[in-house]
Amino acid sequence: MIDLLVRNGVVVTAQATFPADIAVRGDKILAVGAWGSFGDAALEVDAQGKFVLPGLVDPHLHMAHPFKDQVSDDGVYSTSVSAAFGGTTTLIDFAIQWDKNKTIPEIIQQRRAQIEAETVVDFGLHATPTKSTVDTIQSVVPAAELGVPSYKVYMIYRSQGRMVDDAVLYGLLEEMKHKHGRLMVHAENASIAEFKQQLFLEEGHTSSEYFPLFKPNIVEAEAVNRAIYFTHITGSRLYIAHLSTREALHLLKNAQSAGDDILAETCPHYLVLTDQVYRRRDGHNFICSPPLRSQEDVEALWQGIADGSLAVISSDHCGFGLQQKNYGQGNFSLTPNGLPGIETRLPLIYTEGVLKNRISLNRMVEVLSTNAARIFGLYPQKGEIQPGSDADLILMDGEQTRQITARQMHGNVDWTPYEGMVLKGFAVTTILRGKVIIQDENLMAEKGSGKYLPRKIE
Ligand code: URP
Ligand code: ZN
Protein backbone atom coordinates (compact mmCIF):
# COMPACT_ATOMS: atom_id res chain seq x y z
CA MET A 1 0.00 0.00 0.00
CA ILE A 2 2.93 2.37 0.66
CA ASP A 3 5.24 2.86 -2.28
CA LEU A 4 7.75 5.13 -0.60
CA LEU A 5 8.40 5.92 3.04
CA VAL A 6 10.59 8.83 4.06
CA ARG A 7 11.56 7.91 7.61
CA ASN A 8 13.09 9.60 10.63
CA GLY A 9 13.32 13.12 9.26
CA VAL A 10 12.35 16.47 10.70
CA VAL A 11 9.62 17.89 8.51
CA VAL A 12 9.71 21.63 7.88
CA THR A 13 6.75 23.38 6.29
CA ALA A 14 5.85 27.04 6.15
CA GLN A 15 3.80 26.52 9.32
CA ALA A 16 5.67 24.05 11.51
CA THR A 17 8.74 21.94 12.24
CA PHE A 18 8.15 18.44 13.61
CA PRO A 19 9.60 14.91 13.54
CA ALA A 20 7.60 12.76 11.12
CA ASP A 21 7.57 9.94 8.60
CA ILE A 22 5.95 10.57 5.24
CA ALA A 23 4.11 7.82 3.39
CA VAL A 24 3.74 8.12 -0.37
CA ARG A 25 1.42 6.22 -2.68
CA GLY A 26 1.95 6.67 -6.37
CA ASP A 27 2.84 10.30 -6.96
CA LYS A 28 1.00 11.73 -3.92
CA ILE A 29 1.62 12.06 -0.22
CA LEU A 30 -0.64 9.51 1.47
CA ALA A 31 -0.06 10.39 5.11
CA VAL A 32 2.25 12.20 7.50
CA GLY A 33 2.67 10.54 10.91
CA ALA A 34 4.90 10.16 13.93
CA TRP A 35 8.21 8.35 13.53
CA GLY A 36 7.60 4.61 13.26
CA SER A 37 3.86 4.90 12.71
CA PHE A 38 3.81 3.29 9.26
CA GLY A 39 4.49 -0.30 8.24
CA ASP A 40 6.68 -1.56 5.44
CA ALA A 41 7.01 0.19 2.13
CA ALA A 42 8.31 -0.85 -1.26
CA LEU A 43 11.09 1.72 -0.91
CA GLU A 44 12.41 3.56 2.11
CA VAL A 45 14.52 6.69 2.32
CA ASP A 46 16.23 7.29 5.63
CA ALA A 47 16.09 10.98 6.51
CA GLN A 48 17.72 10.70 9.92
CA GLY A 49 19.56 13.91 10.75
CA LYS A 50 17.99 15.70 7.80
CA PHE A 51 15.26 18.26 7.35
CA VAL A 52 12.48 17.21 4.98
CA LEU A 53 11.10 20.17 3.03
CA PRO A 54 8.51 20.47 0.29
CA GLY A 55 10.25 20.56 -3.09
CA LEU A 56 11.22 24.12 -3.83
CA VAL A 57 9.24 26.17 -6.34
CA ASP A 58 11.05 28.73 -8.47
CA PRO A 59 8.66 31.11 -10.22
CA HIS A 60 11.30 33.12 -12.09
CA LEU A 61 14.11 31.73 -14.21
CA HIS A 62 15.34 31.72 -17.78
CA MET A 63 16.40 28.57 -19.62
CA ALA A 64 18.00 28.63 -23.06
CA HIS A 65 17.60 32.40 -22.99
CA PRO A 66 18.34 34.10 -26.34
CA PHE A 67 21.11 36.63 -26.74
CA LYS A 68 22.20 37.97 -30.14
CA ASP A 69 22.53 34.85 -32.32
CA GLN A 70 23.05 32.50 -29.35
CA VAL A 71 21.14 31.17 -26.36
CA SER A 72 22.44 30.99 -22.79
CA ASP A 73 24.81 28.07 -22.21
CA ASP A 74 22.37 26.72 -19.65
CA GLY A 75 19.65 25.14 -21.74
CA VAL A 76 16.39 23.56 -20.65
CA TYR A 77 17.79 20.16 -19.70
CA SER A 78 20.91 21.44 -17.94
CA THR A 79 19.03 24.12 -16.01
CA SER A 80 16.41 21.61 -14.89
CA VAL A 81 19.14 19.21 -13.73
CA SER A 82 20.80 22.03 -11.83
CA ALA A 83 17.39 22.86 -10.32
CA ALA A 84 16.88 19.26 -9.19
CA PHE A 85 20.32 19.15 -7.52
CA GLY A 86 19.46 22.41 -5.79
CA GLY A 87 16.18 20.99 -4.43
CA THR A 88 13.84 22.76 -6.87
CA THR A 89 11.14 20.46 -8.20
CA THR A 90 8.89 23.05 -9.84
CA LEU A 91 9.86 25.83 -12.22
CA ILE A 92 7.77 28.55 -13.79
CA ASP A 93 9.54 29.63 -16.95
CA PHE A 94 8.60 32.27 -19.51
CA ALA A 95 6.94 31.90 -22.89
CA ILE A 96 8.42 35.04 -24.45
CA GLN A 97 7.01 36.47 -27.65
CA TRP A 98 10.39 36.78 -29.38
CA ASP A 99 8.60 36.21 -32.70
CA LYS A 100 6.01 38.95 -32.90
CA ASN A 101 4.25 37.19 -35.77
CA LYS A 102 3.17 34.45 -33.39
CA THR A 103 0.21 34.80 -31.07
CA ILE A 104 0.55 34.34 -27.32
CA PRO A 105 -1.23 30.93 -27.42
CA GLU A 106 1.18 29.80 -30.16
CA ILE A 107 4.15 31.01 -28.14
CA ILE A 108 2.87 29.16 -25.07
CA GLN A 109 2.41 25.92 -26.98
CA GLN A 110 5.82 26.18 -28.58
CA ARG A 111 7.61 26.86 -25.30
CA ARG A 112 5.65 24.12 -23.54
CA ALA A 113 6.73 21.56 -26.15
CA GLN A 114 10.36 22.71 -25.97
CA ILE A 115 10.51 22.33 -22.19
CA GLU A 116 8.42 19.16 -22.03
CA ALA A 117 10.95 17.40 -24.26
CA GLU A 118 13.83 18.08 -21.90
CA THR A 119 13.00 19.00 -18.33
CA VAL A 120 13.58 16.64 -15.41
CA VAL A 121 11.42 18.70 -13.03
CA ASP A 122 7.84 19.95 -13.32
CA PHE A 123 7.12 23.31 -14.88
CA GLY A 124 4.55 25.94 -15.63
CA LEU A 125 4.74 29.03 -17.80
CA HIS A 126 4.19 32.77 -17.54
CA ALA A 127 3.38 34.48 -20.84
CA THR A 128 5.59 37.40 -21.82
CA PRO A 129 4.04 39.50 -24.58
CA THR A 130 6.25 41.97 -26.41
CA LYS A 131 3.63 43.79 -28.51
CA SER A 132 1.88 46.94 -27.37
CA THR A 133 -1.30 46.08 -29.19
CA VAL A 134 -4.84 45.21 -28.25
CA ASP A 135 -4.37 41.54 -29.13
CA THR A 136 -1.89 41.32 -26.24
CA ILE A 137 -4.70 42.24 -23.86
CA GLN A 138 -7.15 39.97 -25.64
CA SER A 139 -4.77 37.02 -25.27
CA VAL A 140 -5.37 36.80 -21.50
CA VAL A 141 -8.39 34.48 -21.80
CA PRO A 142 -6.91 32.04 -24.35
CA ALA A 143 -3.68 31.93 -22.36
CA ALA A 144 -5.60 31.10 -19.18
CA GLU A 145 -7.33 28.28 -21.07
CA LEU A 146 -3.86 26.84 -21.73
CA GLY A 147 -3.11 26.95 -18.01
CA VAL A 148 -1.20 30.25 -18.08
CA PRO A 149 -2.96 32.80 -15.84
CA SER A 150 0.12 34.96 -15.21
CA TYR A 151 1.88 37.37 -17.51
CA LYS A 152 5.19 39.11 -17.15
CA VAL A 153 5.87 42.35 -18.93
CA TYR A 154 9.10 44.26 -19.33
CA MET A 155 8.94 48.00 -18.61
CA ILE A 156 12.45 48.27 -20.11
CA TYR A 157 14.52 46.73 -22.95
CA ARG A 158 12.88 48.96 -25.55
CA SER A 159 15.70 48.62 -28.09
CA GLN A 160 15.53 44.82 -27.81
CA GLY A 161 11.84 44.92 -28.67
CA ARG A 162 10.77 43.41 -25.38
CA MET A 163 9.25 46.43 -23.63
CA VAL A 164 5.51 47.05 -23.68
CA ASP A 165 4.11 50.52 -23.19
CA ASP A 166 2.03 51.78 -20.28
CA ALA A 167 -1.26 51.34 -22.10
CA VAL A 168 -0.67 47.60 -22.31
CA LEU A 169 0.56 47.43 -18.74
CA TYR A 170 -2.62 49.19 -17.64
CA GLY A 171 -4.81 47.17 -20.01
CA LEU A 172 -3.40 43.86 -18.82
CA LEU A 173 -4.02 44.83 -15.22
CA GLU A 174 -7.65 45.67 -16.04
CA GLU A 175 -8.12 42.44 -17.97
CA MET A 176 -6.45 40.28 -15.34
CA LYS A 177 -8.56 41.72 -12.59
CA HIS A 178 -11.67 40.28 -14.20
CA LYS A 179 -10.06 37.08 -15.46
CA HIS A 180 -8.32 35.99 -12.27
CA GLY A 181 -4.79 36.52 -13.42
CA ARG A 182 -1.74 38.17 -11.94
CA LEU A 183 0.63 40.48 -13.76
CA MET A 184 4.36 40.30 -13.09
CA VAL A 185 6.48 43.31 -13.96
CA HIS A 186 10.16 43.75 -14.63
CA ALA A 187 10.05 47.29 -13.32
CA GLU A 188 12.73 49.66 -14.54
CA ASN A 189 12.23 53.12 -16.03
CA ALA A 190 13.39 52.78 -19.62
CA SER A 191 13.82 56.49 -20.39
CA ILE A 192 16.11 57.30 -17.49
CA ALA A 193 18.24 54.20 -18.04
CA GLU A 194 18.52 54.75 -21.79
CA PHE A 195 19.41 58.41 -21.32
CA LYS A 196 22.10 57.64 -18.77
CA GLN A 197 23.49 54.78 -20.82
CA GLN A 198 23.86 57.10 -23.80
CA LEU A 199 25.77 59.66 -21.69
CA PHE A 200 28.14 57.05 -20.27
CA LEU A 201 28.83 55.56 -23.67
CA GLU A 202 29.51 58.96 -25.20
CA GLU A 203 32.01 59.65 -22.42
CA GLY A 204 33.67 56.27 -22.95
CA HIS A 205 32.57 55.03 -19.52
CA THR A 206 31.77 51.51 -20.58
CA SER A 207 33.36 49.32 -17.90
CA SER A 208 31.25 47.41 -15.42
CA GLU A 209 31.81 49.90 -12.57
CA TYR A 210 29.47 52.26 -14.45
CA PHE A 211 26.73 49.68 -14.75
CA PRO A 212 24.99 50.34 -11.39
CA LEU A 213 25.33 54.09 -12.00
CA PHE A 214 23.39 53.88 -15.23
CA LYS A 215 20.53 52.19 -13.42
CA PRO A 216 20.44 53.90 -10.00
CA ASN A 217 17.73 53.04 -7.45
CA ILE A 218 15.32 55.61 -8.89
CA VAL A 219 15.18 53.62 -12.15
CA GLU A 220 13.55 50.75 -10.29
CA ALA A 221 11.61 52.81 -7.77
CA GLU A 222 9.85 54.99 -10.35
CA ALA A 223 8.72 52.01 -12.40
CA VAL A 224 7.55 50.19 -9.27
CA ASN A 225 5.64 53.30 -8.22
CA ARG A 226 3.91 53.48 -11.61
CA ALA A 227 2.99 49.79 -11.62
CA ILE A 228 1.68 50.08 -8.06
CA TYR A 229 -0.43 53.10 -8.95
CA PHE A 230 -1.92 51.36 -11.98
CA THR A 231 -2.72 48.37 -9.79
CA HIS A 232 -4.29 50.56 -7.14
CA ILE A 233 -6.50 52.32 -9.69
CA THR A 234 -7.55 49.12 -11.46
CA GLY A 235 -7.94 47.10 -8.24
CA SER A 236 -5.96 44.35 -9.93
CA ARG A 237 -3.19 41.96 -8.83
CA LEU A 238 0.51 42.68 -9.26
CA TYR A 239 3.74 40.76 -8.67
CA ILE A 240 6.97 42.72 -8.75
CA ALA A 241 9.91 40.69 -10.05
CA HIS A 242 13.41 40.89 -8.53
CA LEU A 243 12.80 43.89 -6.27
CA SER A 244 16.25 45.24 -5.37
CA THR A 245 16.02 48.66 -3.70
CA ARG A 246 14.96 50.01 -0.32
CA GLU A 247 12.99 52.75 -2.10
CA ALA A 248 10.88 50.23 -4.01
CA LEU A 249 10.42 48.21 -0.84
CA HIS A 250 9.10 51.31 0.91
CA LEU A 251 6.58 51.86 -1.90
CA LEU A 252 5.56 48.21 -1.73
CA LYS A 253 4.98 48.34 2.02
CA ASN A 254 2.85 51.48 1.70
CA ALA A 255 0.75 49.88 -1.04
CA GLN A 256 0.28 46.70 0.98
CA SER A 257 -0.74 48.78 4.02
CA ALA A 258 -3.31 50.53 1.84
CA GLY A 259 -4.79 47.14 0.98
CA ASP A 260 -3.56 46.78 -2.60
CA ASP A 261 -3.00 43.20 -3.81
CA ILE A 262 0.66 43.64 -4.58
CA LEU A 263 3.25 40.95 -3.97
CA ALA A 264 6.93 40.94 -4.70
CA GLU A 265 9.99 38.78 -4.85
CA THR A 266 13.67 39.40 -4.51
CA CYS A 267 16.51 37.05 -5.45
CA PRO A 268 19.51 35.56 -3.61
CA HIS A 269 21.99 37.79 -5.47
CA TYR A 270 20.29 40.94 -4.12
CA LEU A 271 20.55 39.47 -0.62
CA VAL A 272 24.17 38.33 -0.58
CA LEU A 273 26.10 40.41 -3.13
CA THR A 274 26.58 44.16 -3.47
CA ASP A 275 27.49 46.59 -6.23
CA GLN A 276 31.11 46.44 -5.07
CA VAL A 277 31.55 43.41 -7.35
CA TYR A 278 31.29 45.68 -10.40
CA ARG A 279 34.72 47.11 -9.46
CA ARG A 280 36.34 43.70 -9.79
CA ARG A 281 38.28 42.66 -12.88
CA ASP A 282 35.51 40.15 -13.58
CA GLY A 283 32.82 42.70 -12.68
CA HIS A 284 31.12 42.38 -16.05
CA ASN A 285 30.15 38.80 -15.17
CA PHE A 286 27.83 40.18 -12.48
CA ILE A 287 25.82 42.35 -14.85
CA CYS A 288 22.16 41.66 -14.27
CA SER A 289 19.06 43.80 -14.24
CA PRO A 290 18.27 45.42 -11.93
CA PRO A 291 21.91 45.79 -10.84
CA LEU A 292 23.28 44.60 -7.53
CA ARG A 293 22.87 47.33 -4.90
CA SER A 294 24.41 48.72 -1.71
CA GLN A 295 24.71 46.98 1.66
CA GLU A 296 21.93 49.29 2.92
CA ASP A 297 19.61 47.86 0.27
CA VAL A 298 20.68 44.33 1.14
CA GLU A 299 19.80 44.84 4.81
CA ALA A 300 16.44 46.44 3.90
CA LEU A 301 15.57 43.47 1.67
CA TRP A 302 16.33 40.95 4.43
CA GLN A 303 14.05 42.99 6.65
CA GLY A 304 11.39 42.82 3.94
CA ILE A 305 11.73 39.03 3.79
CA ALA A 306 11.51 38.75 7.56
CA ASP A 307 8.49 41.04 7.99
CA GLY A 308 6.48 39.47 5.16
CA SER A 309 6.45 42.34 2.70
CA LEU A 310 8.55 40.32 0.25
CA ALA A 311 6.78 37.04 -0.40
CA VAL A 312 9.23 35.06 -2.51
CA ILE A 313 12.94 34.57 -3.16
CA SER A 314 13.19 33.39 -6.77
CA SER A 315 16.44 32.63 -8.55
CA ASP A 316 16.04 34.70 -11.75
CA HIS A 317 18.56 32.13 -12.97
CA CYS A 318 19.96 32.98 -16.37
CA GLY A 319 22.98 30.87 -17.24
CA PHE A 320 25.30 32.73 -19.55
CA GLY A 321 28.80 31.21 -19.49
CA LEU A 322 32.05 33.16 -19.20
CA GLN A 323 32.59 33.42 -22.93
CA GLN A 324 29.07 34.73 -23.40
CA LYS A 325 29.50 37.18 -20.54
CA ASN A 326 32.64 38.42 -22.25
CA TYR A 327 30.74 39.46 -25.35
CA GLY A 328 31.56 43.14 -25.75
CA GLN A 329 34.73 42.63 -23.66
CA GLY A 330 33.41 44.20 -20.51
CA ASN A 331 31.33 46.94 -22.14
CA PHE A 332 28.29 46.92 -19.89
CA SER A 333 25.95 47.90 -22.70
CA LEU A 334 26.84 44.76 -24.67
CA THR A 335 27.14 42.17 -21.89
CA PRO A 336 24.25 39.67 -21.69
CA ASN A 337 22.30 40.31 -18.49
CA GLY A 338 21.62 37.66 -15.89
CA LEU A 339 23.23 35.47 -13.24
CA PRO A 340 23.25 31.71 -12.75
CA GLY A 341 21.93 30.66 -9.34
CA ILE A 342 19.21 28.04 -9.40
CA GLU A 343 21.37 25.45 -7.66
CA THR A 344 22.66 27.74 -4.92
CA ARG A 345 19.32 29.27 -3.90
CA LEU A 346 18.72 26.98 -0.92
CA PRO A 347 22.20 26.98 0.70
CA LEU A 348 22.53 30.75 0.23
CA ILE A 349 19.25 31.47 1.97
CA TYR A 350 19.82 28.86 4.66
CA THR A 351 23.34 30.10 5.42
CA GLU A 352 22.78 33.84 5.09
CA GLY A 353 19.18 33.88 6.27
CA VAL A 354 18.47 31.10 8.75
CA LEU A 355 21.92 30.58 10.23
CA LYS A 356 22.37 34.33 10.64
CA ASN A 357 19.00 34.52 12.43
CA ARG A 358 17.48 36.82 9.84
CA ILE A 359 14.61 34.42 9.14
CA SER A 360 13.24 31.19 10.58
CA LEU A 361 13.43 27.80 8.86
CA ASN A 362 9.67 27.96 8.29
CA ARG A 363 9.88 31.38 6.71
CA MET A 364 12.63 30.02 4.46
CA VAL A 365 10.30 27.26 3.25
CA GLU A 366 7.53 29.78 2.73
CA VAL A 367 9.63 32.10 0.54
CA LEU A 368 11.42 29.36 -1.40
CA SER A 369 8.45 27.11 -2.00
CA THR A 370 4.99 27.56 -0.49
CA ASN A 371 4.32 31.19 -1.35
CA ALA A 372 5.23 30.83 -5.01
CA ALA A 373 2.90 27.83 -5.24
CA ARG A 374 0.11 29.81 -3.55
CA ILE A 375 0.55 32.96 -5.60
CA PHE A 376 0.75 31.23 -8.96
CA GLY A 377 -2.05 28.69 -8.55
CA LEU A 378 -0.15 25.51 -7.73
CA TYR A 379 -1.09 25.16 -4.06
CA PRO A 380 -1.57 22.67 -2.37
CA GLN A 381 -0.43 20.41 -5.21
CA LYS A 382 3.03 21.94 -4.83
CA GLY A 383 4.79 23.72 -1.97
CA GLU A 384 3.20 21.70 0.85
CA ILE A 385 3.65 18.48 2.81
CA GLN A 386 0.19 17.11 3.47
CA PRO A 387 -1.96 14.20 2.29
CA GLY A 388 -3.00 14.72 -1.32
CA SER A 389 -0.12 17.00 -2.29
CA ASP A 390 2.36 15.85 -4.91
CA ALA A 391 5.11 13.88 -3.23
CA ASP A 392 7.78 16.47 -4.01
CA LEU A 393 10.19 16.32 -1.10
CA ILE A 394 13.76 17.26 -0.45
CA LEU A 395 16.12 16.11 2.25
CA MET A 396 18.25 19.04 3.35
CA ASP A 397 21.44 18.51 5.28
CA GLY A 398 21.75 21.46 7.61
CA GLU A 399 25.23 20.47 8.78
CA GLN A 400 27.12 19.61 5.62
CA THR A 401 29.47 22.42 4.67
CA ARG A 402 30.72 23.02 1.14
CA GLN A 403 32.91 25.67 -0.37
CA ILE A 404 31.12 26.72 -3.53
CA THR A 405 32.91 26.29 -6.80
CA ALA A 406 31.59 26.27 -10.35
CA ARG A 407 32.88 22.72 -10.87
CA GLN A 408 30.37 21.40 -8.29
CA MET A 409 27.40 22.81 -10.14
CA HIS A 410 25.41 20.46 -12.34
CA GLY A 411 24.22 22.85 -15.01
CA ASN A 412 26.09 24.00 -18.05
CA VAL A 413 27.60 27.24 -16.76
CA ASP A 414 31.34 27.52 -16.18
CA TRP A 415 31.22 30.06 -13.37
CA THR A 416 29.23 30.95 -10.28
CA PRO A 417 28.78 34.36 -8.66
CA TYR A 418 29.30 32.63 -5.30
CA GLU A 419 32.72 31.07 -5.99
CA GLY A 420 34.58 30.47 -2.73
CA MET A 421 31.65 31.09 -0.39
CA VAL A 422 31.33 28.54 2.41
CA LEU A 423 27.71 27.44 2.71
CA LYS A 424 25.50 24.96 4.55
CA GLY A 425 22.04 23.63 3.82
CA PHE A 426 22.31 21.49 0.71
CA ALA A 427 19.60 19.30 -0.77
CA VAL A 428 21.09 15.80 -0.69
CA THR A 429 18.01 13.91 -1.92
CA THR A 430 15.31 15.20 -4.24
CA ILE A 431 12.00 13.40 -4.72
CA LEU A 432 9.60 14.38 -7.50
CA ARG A 433 6.07 12.96 -7.49
CA GLY A 434 7.18 10.00 -5.37
CA LYS A 435 10.27 9.18 -7.41
CA VAL A 436 13.77 9.74 -6.10
CA ILE A 437 15.45 11.80 -8.80
CA ILE A 438 18.61 12.86 -6.96
CA GLN A 439 20.45 10.80 -4.40
CA ASP A 440 24.11 10.82 -3.38
CA GLU A 441 25.08 13.12 -6.20
CA ASN A 442 23.38 10.87 -8.78
CA LEU A 443 20.68 11.98 -11.17
CA MET A 444 18.02 9.33 -11.64
CA ALA A 445 15.54 11.17 -13.83
CA GLU A 446 15.24 10.92 -17.55
CA LYS A 447 15.24 13.83 -19.91
CA GLY A 448 11.63 14.88 -20.46
CA SER A 449 10.28 13.23 -17.29
CA GLY A 450 9.13 16.57 -15.84
CA LYS A 451 5.46 17.44 -16.36
CA TYR A 452 3.70 20.56 -17.56
CA LEU A 453 1.56 22.12 -14.83
CA PRO A 454 -1.53 23.93 -16.08
CA ARG A 455 -2.41 26.58 -13.50
CA LYS A 456 -5.43 28.53 -12.38
CA ILE A 457 -5.46 31.62 -10.18
CA GLU A 458 -8.65 32.03 -8.13
O1 URP B 1 19.39 40.45 -15.76
C1 URP B 1 18.47 39.66 -15.79
N1 URP B 1 17.53 39.67 -14.85
N2 URP B 1 18.41 38.79 -16.78
C2 URP B 1 17.46 37.79 -16.95
C3 URP B 1 17.06 37.66 -18.37
C4 URP B 1 16.25 38.80 -18.89
O2 URP B 1 16.59 39.26 -19.95
O3 URP B 1 15.26 39.18 -18.27
ZN1 ZN C 1 14.32 37.37 -15.11
Side-chain angles (χ1 to χ4, degrees):
M1 293 296 276
I2 298 175
D3 296 319
L4 171 70
L5 191 54
V6 179
R7 274 196 197 278
N8 303 324
V10 173
V11 170
V12 187
T13 69
Q15 273 83 38
T17 304
F18 52 99
D21 290 349
I22 302 170
V24 174
R25 186 187 294 156
D27 55 7
K28 301 282 183 201
I29 295 172
L30 178 67
V32 181
W35 283 346
S37 57
F38 300 109
D40 291 342
L43 179 68
E44 292 193 7
V45 170
D46 186 6
Q48 190 164 24
K50 312 282 188 313
F51 294 114
V52 183
L53 277 50
L56 307 185
V57 178
D58 190 348
H60 184 164
L61 78 157
H62 305 268
M63 310 191 271
H65 192 65
F67 172 71
K68 307 279 177 195
D69 55 350
Q70 309 176 32
V71 293
S72 58
D73 284 342
D74 229 0
V76 171
Y77 176 69
S78 62
T79 304
S80 75
V81 168
S82 194
F85 275 99
T88 296
T89 49
T90 300
L91 310 172
I92 312 182
D93 182 77
F94 299 98
I96 305 180
Q97 195 177 28
W98 298 108
D99 180 349
K100 293 179 198 283
N101 293 317
K102 288 206 160 76
T103 65
I104 292 294
E106 285 167 345
I107 295 284
I108 291 170
Q109 272 151 338
Q110 187 182 37
R111 186 68 172 165
R112 174 179 168 173
Q114 183 190 2
I115 299 176
E116 248 168 357
E118 297 195 27
T119 183
V120 301
V121 297
D122 290 354
F123 74 102
L125 291 170
H126 308 288
T128 300
T130 60
K131 284 165 69 183
S132 295
T133 52
V134 71
D135 46 310
T136 289
I137 295 163
Q138 288 167 347
S139 67
V140 165
V141 171
E145 282 163 5
L146 294 171
V148 180
S150 50
Y151 276 40
K152 170 187 163 182
V153 292
Y154 287 98
M155 298 170 75
I156 195 164
Y157 296 142
R158 192 187 337 233
S159 64
Q160 296 176 24
R162 276 195 262 172
M163 176 176 146
V164 296
D165 68 24
D166 286 348
V168 167
L169 175 58
Y170 189 80
L172 281 173
L173 283 165
E174 280 185 312
E175 186 74 357
M176 290 193 143
K177 176 189 174 167
H178 301 298
K179 305 299 180 333
H180 300 283
R182 187 173 290 272
L183 184 66
M184 182 190 295
V185 283
H186 176 133
E188 291 187 289
N189 179 302
S191 305
I192 299 175
E194 285 165 3
F195 184 75
K196 281 190 172 288
Q197 170 162 321
Q198 188 62 28
L199 286 183
F200 282 132
L201 296 185
E202 278 167 15
E203 288 163 7
H205 296 322
T206 57
S207 68
S208 64
E209 67 184 284
Y210 293 99
F211 178 66
L213 306 178
F214 119 79
K215 286 180 168 181
N217 289 22
I218 173 72
V219 166
E220 175 176 89
E222 186 288 323
V224 163
N225 194 40
R226 196 172 356 133
I228 285 176
Y229 187 61
F230 285 1
T231 308
H232 177 74
I233 294 297
T234 54
S236 193
R237 287 166 290 269
L238 186 72
Y239 181 91
I240 302 165
H242 43 49
L243 190 140
S244 67
T245 59
R246 56 194 186 280
E247 291 87 345
L249 182 64
H250 180 71
L251 293 164
L252 171 72
K253 286 183 185 188
N254 284 348
Q256 289 173 339
S257 306
D260 294 331
D261 187 350
I262 300 177
L263 302 168
E265 62 171 32
T266 190
C267 312
H269 38 283
Y270 300 114
L271 293 165
V272 307
L273 299 172
T274 70
D275 53 7
Q276 293 305 305
V277 296
Y278 295 120
R279 296 169 177 271
R280 287 170 34 173
R281 275 159 61 94
D282 62 349
H284 61 283
N285 291 339
F286 293 81
I287 287 177
C288 61
S289 287
L292 301 169
R293 306 292 186 183
S294 69
Q295 191 60 38
E296 218 178 328
D297 292 297
V298 168
E299 294 307 330
L301 295 178
W302 275 116
Q303 198 52 48
I305 292 290
D307 69 20
S309 32
L310 292 167
V312 171
I313 303 176
S314 73
S315 73
D316 195 8
H317 175 94
C318 192
F320 289 111
L322 287 175
Q323 214 177 350
Q324 296 183 315
K325 277 288 190 182
N326 206 29
Y327 182 91
Q329 285 157 352
N331 179 333
F332 72 78
S333 70
L334 300 173
T335 308
N337 281 220
L339 301 182
I342 201 157
E343 198 168 335
T344 42
R345 191 168 63 125
L346 177 62
L348 283 169
I349 302 310
Y350 183 70
T351 306
E352 292 292 313
V354 177
L355 294 182
K356 292 194 174 170
N357 293 320
R358 285 162 153 152
I359 55 171
S360 69
L361 251 184
N362 307 98
R363 181 70 183 144
M364 180 186 82
V365 169
E366 198 168 29
V367 297
L368 296 181
S369 177
T370 314
N371 275 354
R374 282 193 187 120
I375 294 165
F376 292 110
L378 290 169
Y379 187 86
Q381 181 187 357
K382 303 293 188 186
E384 187 55 280
I385 298 182
Q386 68 180 31
S389 292
D390 280 2
D392 296 354
L393 303 166
I394 60 172
L395 273 54
M396 186 189 85
D397 190 335
E399 292 303 318
Q400 194 190 97
T401 305
R402 294 185 201 165
Q403 183 165 25
I404 297 298
T405 164
R407 282 189 309 280
Q408 291 162 353
M409 300 294 125
H410 297 84
N412 197 29
V413 191
D414 54 356
W415 75 287
T416 164
Y418 311 105
E419 186 76 35
M421 280 184 77
V422 177
L423 302 179
K424 288 186 173 195
F426 292 88
V428 291
T429 302
T430 302
I431 299 168
L432 174 66
R433 284 181 277 102
K435 187 172 180 300
V436 178
I437 61 167
I438 304 286
Q439 189 151 36
D440 303 328
E441 280 291 300
N442 294 313
L443 172 69
M444 289 173 285
E446 280 168 24
K447 202 171 187 173
S449 52
K451 275 195 179 157
Y452 174 64
L453 301 165
R455 298 177 295 114
K456 208 172 177 173
I457 294 179
E458 297 304 334

